[in-house]
Amino acid sequence: MIVYFLLGIGVGLTVFPKRWLKANDRVQTAGICLTLFSMGASVGSSPTFLEDLRTAGLQAVVFALATMAGSVLAVWLLSRLLPGKEGGDGE
């Protein structure tokens, strides 16, 4: 999977037309939504989903929250360390 990501970076840096960026953003959002829907349908179709969820309990919640907190921290740190354009949407 990482190979496709790296190939995409290469295409984006070299041959991807800038005028397609907005459309590409919409395609990415649709792709993420479709992936999340597909994963949810797969998990929800398990006959033991609710029982498995009860069994995992607090440990699963703590793991999920720690993962989210780590992601937010990484983005915050990288946004401070890496150079960015002045006056961007995030500032």
Side-chain angles (χ1 to χ4, degrees):
M1 293 292 187
I2 193 76
V3 171
Y4 295 112
F5 180 70
L6 295 173
L7 284 172
I9 290 174
V11 168
L13 289 172
T14 58
V15 297
F16 194 80
K18 301 292 184 212
R19 66 180 181 272
W20 290 1
L21 287 177
K22 191 168 190 155
N24 187 51
D25 183 50
R26 290 184 178 134
V27 169
Q28 286 178 19
T29 300
I32 290 170
C33 290
L34 183 60
T35 300
L36 290 173
F37 175 80
S38 174
M39 290 172 59
S42 179
V43 168
S45 69
S46 170
T48 61
F49 170 67
L50 292 177
E51 183 180 320
D52 295 342
L53 191 59
R54 278 188 226 110
T55 303
L58 182 62
Q59 183 180 9
V61 171
V62 169
F63 182 75
L65 291 175
T67 301
M68 288 186 283
S71 296
V72 169
L73 180 63
V75 168
W76 181 81
L77 284 172
L78 288 172
S79 70
R80 298 293 180 251
L81 295 174
L82 296 176
K85 60 182 179 184
E86 294 292 321
D89 294 336
E91 298 282 323

